[in-house]
Amino acid sequence: MNKAAEWIDLTGKVAHVTGGARGIGRGISRALAMAGAKVMVSDLRLEDAQAVATEIGGQAMALDVTDRAAVDTAMAATKSRLGGLDILVNNAGVYIGYGGPVRSITDEMWKTLWSVNVDGVFYCCRAAASIMIDQGKGGRIINVSSTQAVSPGVGVTYDGSKAAVMQITKALALELAQYGINVNALAPGPTWVREGVPPKTGGQPPNRSGDPLADTVADRIARLPVGHWADPMEQGKAVVFLASSMSDFVTGIYLPVDGGWLTL
Ligand SMILES: NC(=O)c1ccc[n+]([C@@H]2O[C@H](COP(=O)([O-])OP(=O)(O)OC[C@H]3O[C@@H](n4cnc5c(N)ncnc54)[C@H](O)[C@@H]3O)[C@@H](O)[C@H]2O)c1
């Protein structure tokens, strides 16, 4: 194996990916397994998580990241079932059904989204960091934020939650550097999580819905410099970079993988 291939090789590493049953989480789980990691795929949907685990030769478990006790148990079980915990990817997140103008957002919408996107990230970081510190061999935590953290458009609930994830990442990077644990945020741009090939963008101006928030996002997607949505595997490749020795000196960053979205 040449040196650069060794840098990217995750053989012998154990990764836990939350929300790994579909979409970006499935792409991340597949990419980590292709780089050699043993992957625990967790999700609310156990059957779909099991299908991904079978596809990549990993293992699966049911996990609701909003359940603090279940998170503690899941991270400990990852270590006991796979022999350690070296990489945590906090991917589980929700967005559909939580947008819209501020006065239409209910307390329940706000609390539900923040419990998954922020509380869940915190619970998983705390449980995994504790295990990694005790193991004494460093580690990697990768939190899935969004371009919306710095370029809002989906709505106050989601955009605020992803900015919180970005800052939680930086604070933890500062604290955990002394243990050799690198903590970074991935900021996906528009990523196609449905069936089929990611659609091309550009060309025709988007149909206007009249909702300023939705129209802002649609306008930006239409002008996306690379001209197409991302495939989940493109997010997975960036996670392999952040999980591997390729990024040994990288911590506390917010990495847009966005096809040029943030240049707009
Ligand atoms: N798709 C995009 O364009 C895009 C862009 C930027 C950021 N993101 C972020 O990427 C992440 C994945 O998004 P996606 O588009 O793949 O979403 P998705 O809805 O396709 O998949 C999310 C997965 O998370 C799981 N999940 C939801 N709530 C959970 C909980 N409480 N506990 C455990 N698992 C739970 C779901 O069951 C699902 O399998 C999210 O954090 C999202 O905010 C997505």
Side-chain angles (χ1 to χ4, degrees):
M1 193 185 290
N2 68 42
K3 193 69 191 165
E6 280 176 30
W7 290 336
I8 210 94
D9 184 18
L10 297 178
T11 303
K13 302 289 185 190
V14 174
H16 183 119
V17 181
T18 69
R22 50 161 285 123
I24 292 176
R26 175 168 174 262
I28 291 170
S29 299
R30 291 179 65 218
L32 288 169
M34 284 177 188
K38 284 188 272 184
V39 182
M40 178 64 77
V41 182
S42 72
D43 205 287
L44 285 177
R45 316 167 189 216
L46 179 57
E47 208 174 305
D48 292 343
Q50 188 57 62
V52 175
T54 302
E55 178 191 355
I56 65 173
Q59 293 199 26
M61 63 168 61
L63 177 63
D64 178 350
V65 297
T66 69
D67 181 338
R68 181 194 55 75
V71 165
D72 289 348
T73 303
M75 294 305 153
T78 302
K79 182 180 173 186
S80 59
R81 282 168 62 179
L82 295 180
L85 179 59
D86 305 292
I87 301 156
L88 166 67
V89 184
N90 279 312
N91 164 78
V94 291
Y95 47 94
I96 293 169
Y98 297 92
V102 66
R103 63 182 180 173
S104 72
I105 292 167
T106 63
D107 294 359
E108 195 188 348
M109 286 161 74
W110 175 269
K111 285 181 182 159
T112 303
L113 182 140
W114 276 65
S115 72
V116 181
N117 291 12
V118 182
D119 296 357
V121 168
F122 169 67
Y123 295 154
C124 291
C125 284
R126 181 173 59 186
S130 174
I131 291 172
M132 289 174 186
I133 290 167
D134 288 346
Q135 287 179 160
K137 54 182 178 125
R140 300 294 170 98
I141 297 176
I142 297 138
N143 295 325
V144 178
S145 176
S146 168
T147 47
Q148 257 74 40
V150 297
S151 174
V154 172
V156 64
T157 314
Y158 181 76
D159 299 344
S161 77
K162 290 300 179 178
V165 169
M166 180 178 66
Q167 197 65 0
I168 287 167
T169 300
K170 292 181 185 184
L172 273 178
L174 192 59
E175 179 186 330
L176 298 178
Q178 63 184 308
Y179 303 107
I181 301 169
N182 294 19
V183 189
N184 291 297
L186 178 81
T191 305
W192 192 248
V193 294
R194 298 180 214 157
E195 291 304 312
V197 178
K200 293 197 182 315
T201 56
Q204 298 300 316
N207 293 330
R208 314 291 298 177
S209 69
D211 173 352
L213 290 174
D215 286 346
T216 302
V217 172
D219 281 343
R220 287 187 193 149
I221 289 176
R223 292 186 291 121
L224 202 63
V226 296
H228 62 88
W229 290 63
D231 181 277
M233 185 56 85
E234 286 168 297
Q235 304 301 338
K237 288 177 192 170
V239 167
V240 169
F241 166 73
L242 292 174
S244 73
S245 179
M246 295 288 278
S247 60
D248 280 345
F249 206 59
V250 178
T251 195
I253 68 158
Y254 167 87
L255 177 63
V257 179
D258 67 345
W261 173 284
L262 291 180
T263 64
L264 296 172

